[in-house]
Amino acid sequence: MTHPLLDRHRATLDGALSAIATRGYWTPYPEQASPKFYGEGASEVRRQAVQAMFGQRFDLGQPGVGGWLAGDRSPYGVDLAVQYAVCDPEALIAAAMAAMPAWQKLGVDGRAGVCLEILDRLNKASFEIAWAVMYTTGQGFGMAFQAGGPHAQDRGLEAVAYAYREMSFVPREAHWEKPQGKNPPLVMKKNFEVVGRGPALVIGCSTFPTWNTYPGLFAALATGNPVIVKPHPWSVLPAAISVRIAREVLRENGIDPNLVTLAVVDRPETTQKLATDPRIASIDYTGGSAFGSWLLQNARGKQVYAELSGVNNVVIESTDNYKGMLRNLAFTLSLYSGQMCTTTKALLVPAGGIDTDQGHKSFDEVAADLGAAIDKFLSDPATATAVLGAIQSPDTLKRIEQAPQAATVVLASRKLDHPEFPKAEIRTPVVLKADASNEAAYMQERFGPISTVVAVPGGADALAALSERIVREHGALTVGVYSTDASFIDAMTAATQRAGVALSINLTSGVFVNQSAGFSDFHGTGANPAANASYTDSAFVASRFRVIQRRQHV
């Protein structure tokens, strides 16, 4: 018999398994923040529930509590002051180890069923999570709901589906019979047990505390491992709500809730201590390259799945929809103020200009028209505040202020006021332009709403070569190309395959280079310096478990 929770959610799992095989559009979690899906008045009820947490202790009942810490920082200027337990790392790891055997015995079906139930509960709490994401990250509410809720849940479910598929390839038992000629055959019964590698540490980022956390969380859980979630200190609340829901489901099903714990730390050394503890078997990390590189160098003997910084770029060789291209790029560069790991940072344009459906456009015209398109797109204050959100980090504000020192300013950044949050730090994008020889202006990731239009001398080959070099040397999660020349698109396809990065071609409508669809798009490739793993493929789950066999004569 299968586990009752797997029976309850079988249709969801089957749908996910089909989706990862066909890569078409599919989701069980509606992305529309509509009462039709989530209940009448759910948004306001959940918003009040989140606000009721402000200034209170968020008690998960975890072991090893040594104090309480309020770390969330709201880019909207809201005083959150939620207090979280600071737990002894030794106590969390010991509790994880103690919870692992029973989780192991639950088997592949049981673990998948429990993970599916957790995801279902997370989906029902999408409004609560969305408000927590908005308050802590600075995302506009629409994006916080989609990216923090259903889209993050999609990625978690995708990890469960891959894990279930890979583990299901291993039979539970086998009858082995080897002929021996005239002698009786050798007959054995063999059993194969899928076991987790050991406790997983999932280190979250400040800007996408659920979207970048759920893949590692559910990949590790489904494959038989306990998980310690270490959120970014500025964005704890969404992770805390997620962990609370997971622990509730575990407890209700007779499973030790310490299988999933929250590690809120009061000093960086604690994270390093967790990461290097010999009992930690895997680490998922999203964030800056400095700490990511430290993990890769120092967390030896562990599986480290790291998404780091990169220089995403778009090559503009020509277009037959100039206005559509500019509108698409304007949205791409504005969305969440460029605080996404997929946002375009360098736009490579021939120094001699491009051919378009509106005639030939010089390099300076392309740069100026892009700036004008952004200005037009953000001219309505309501649209601007909803799309831009707020700036999450003081370091990003500093980068925006210093950006004009790097190159010529095409579009200056402006500070906008938010009608509901007067303390919100909202900035419009800054667009620069530079010659390709000025590599300091564009050969690095300036996280935030900062991009550079680069004048590239030479022909089409030079454009493709520079794009490929950027990815090879600095990494990228996304590359885009605009061209009416099929042979050039082929050249860009070859260049991106060599460099190991995803390519988007001639996007002019409602799909954008910095967006990634669960069950269809692979987020990252693991083939360039920006990331050594992908959300989600078989490699993301397969090394999190091992097969232990036993055999005996029959």
Side-chain angles (χ1 to χ4, degrees):
M1 292 181 61
T2 57
H3 193 278
L5 286 179
L6 184 59
D7 290 336
R8 180 186 302 175
H9 299 290
R10 171 60 72 177
T12 300
L13 179 59
D14 288 346
L17 289 169
S18 175
I20 63 174
T22 60
R23 313 307 296 184
Y25 173 78
W26 180 82
T27 178
Y29 309 126
E31 68 176 6
Q32 296 83 13
S34 167
K36 175 182 176 182
F37 303 114
Y38 295 97
E40 199 67 42
S43 179
E44 186 56 31
V45 168
R46 293 291 188 163
R47 181 177 191 174
Q48 291 176 12
V50 170
Q51 291 174 338
M53 300 174 189
F54 296 171
Q56 306 298 314
R57 284 188 172 181
F58 197 109
D59 192 356
L60 290 168
Q62 297 184 164
V65 176
W68 295 83
L69 179 69
D72 289 319
R73 178 186 180 277
S74 176
Y76 286 106
V78 178
D79 185 17
L80 305 181
V82 184
Q83 300 172 53
Y84 307 96
V86 178
C87 300
D88 178 23
E90 172 61 34
L92 293 181
I93 296 174
M97 296 291 291
M100 188 173 177
W103 184 240
Q104 173 64 47
K105 289 180 181 178
L106 203 58
V108 173
D109 285 359
R111 294 195 299 269
V114 173
C115 287
L116 291 165
E117 176 67 15
I118 294 171
L119 283 161
D120 184 65
R121 299 279 188 92
L122 290 171
N123 180 247
K124 289 179 171 61
S126 289
F127 273 111
E128 182 176 341
I129 293 170
W131 286 113
V133 169
M134 176 180 171
Y135 282 130
T136 58
T137 68
Q139 293 178 25
F141 179 76
M143 183 176 185
F145 181 86
Q146 291 188 347
H151 292 176
Q153 296 147 21
D154 282 342
R155 287 303 191 186
L157 175 57
E158 188 178 37
V160 172
Y162 269 98
Y164 185 84
R165 189 181 74 172
E166 295 304 313
M167 293 185 296
S168 296
F169 287 156
V170 181
R172 292 298 303 272
E173 62 180 50
H175 178 84
W176 186 85
E177 186 170 329
K178 181 179 180 180
Q180 294 291 302
K182 296 180 181 180
N183 297 318
L186 293 174
V187 182
M188 300 196 80
K189 178 184 178 182
K190 300 186 180 184
N191 295 86
F192 307 96
E193 194 73 29
V194 173
V195 301
R197 296 281 297 271
L201 176 63
V202 178
I203 303 174
C205 67
S206 62
T207 48
F208 288 89
T210 57
W211 199 95
N212 279 113
T213 295
Y214 288 0
L217 167 63
F218 284 100
L221 271 183
T223 50
N225 306 287
V227 180
I228 299 171
V229 176
K230 207 299 289 184
H232 191 282
W234 293 347
S235 301
V236 180
L237 188 55
I241 293 171
S242 301
V243 169
R244 181 196 67 199
I245 290 171
R247 289 171 65 86
E248 288 172 352
V249 172
L250 293 169
R251 188 179 291 109
E252 290 170 14
N253 288 275
I255 303 166
D256 187 344
N258 290 325
L259 188 74
V260 180
T261 55
L262 186 76
V264 174
V265 303
D266 54 1
R267 57 180 66 89
E269 293 79 11
T270 304
T271 305
Q272 295 174 334
K273 183 178 180 180
L274 278 166
T276 54
D277 189 286
R279 291 164 293 183
I280 295 294
S282 68
I283 300 172
D284 288 86
Y285 171 77
T286 301
S289 291
F291 187 65
S293 297
W294 184 92
L295 285 172
L296 291 168
Q297 293 170 9
N298 292 277
R300 294 172 182 167
K302 309 177 191 303
Q303 290 288 327
V304 180
Y305 305 88
E307 182 183 307
L308 312 173
S309 58
V311 181
N312 305 308
N313 62 85
V314 166
V315 173
I316 306 175
E317 188 270 340
S318 58
T319 180
D320 58 5
N321 188 351
Y322 189 60
K323 285 187 176 180
M325 179 190 75
L326 292 175
R327 284 194 301 266
N328 192 279
L329 290 172
F331 183 90
T332 294
L333 301 182
S334 301
L335 183 60
Y336 186 30
S337 299
Q339 298 171 108
M340 302 173 68
C341 57
T342 51
T343 299
T344 301
K345 293 299 167 187
L347 300 100
L348 312 183
V349 180
I354 64 172
D355 291 330
T356 80
D357 56 319
Q358 298 185 13
H360 188 80
K361 300 288 183 178
S362 69
F363 168 82
D364 287 337
E365 285 178 310
V366 173
D369 289 346
L370 176 60
I374 294 172
D375 246 354
K376 181 179 179 180
F377 175 59
L378 300 176
S379 60
D380 174 56
T383 298
T385 54
V387 172
L388 292 170
I391 301 298
Q392 212 273 348
S393 168
D395 289 339
T396 303
L397 289 172
K398 187 180 297 183
R399 279 191 293 272
I400 296 170
E401 293 173 1
Q402 295 175 345
Q405 301 172 18
T408 303
V409 176
V410 174
L411 179 67
S413 179
R414 296 179 290 114
K415 187 180 189 304
L416 301 182
D417 295 325
H418 196 293
E420 186 177 355
F421 302 104
K423 295 182 180 179
E425 294 286 0
I426 302 176
R427 300 290 190 278
T428 62
V430 55
V431 178
L432 310 173
K433 65 178 180 180
D435 292 331
S437 59
N438 183 12
E439 294 189 358
Y442 65 93
M443 279 278 192
Q444 59 180 296
E445 181 188 47
R446 288 185 171 86
F447 192 74
I450 306 163
S451 56
T452 305
V453 186
V454 182
V456 182
D461 289 346
L463 290 170
L466 181 56
S467 174
E468 181 177 354
R469 181 183 156 218
I470 290 172
V471 177
R472 285 183 178 278
E473 294 183 4
H474 302 282
L477 292 175
T478 61
V479 165
V481 62
Y482 290 91
S483 179
T484 59
D485 184 346
S487 62
F488 180 70
I489 292 175
D490 289 343
M492 280 296 299
T493 299
T496 51
Q497 289 179 350
R498 288 192 300 269
V501 65
L503 177 65
S504 295
I505 302 169
N506 290 329
L507 300 183
T508 56
S509 59
V511 177
F512 305 92
V513 68
N514 52 342
Q515 294 177 322
S516 177
F519 308 105
S520 185
D521 294 323
F522 291 99
H523 175 76
T525 64
N528 71 69
N532 70 351
S534 173
Y535 299 164
T536 306
D537 59 11
S538 296
F540 189 68
V541 300
S543 291
R544 299 175 191 264
F545 69 88
R546 287 293 181 260
V547 179
I548 309 299
Q549 74 170 45
R550 63 185 186 275
R551 59 186 181 174
Q552 56 189 329
H553 287 294
V554 175

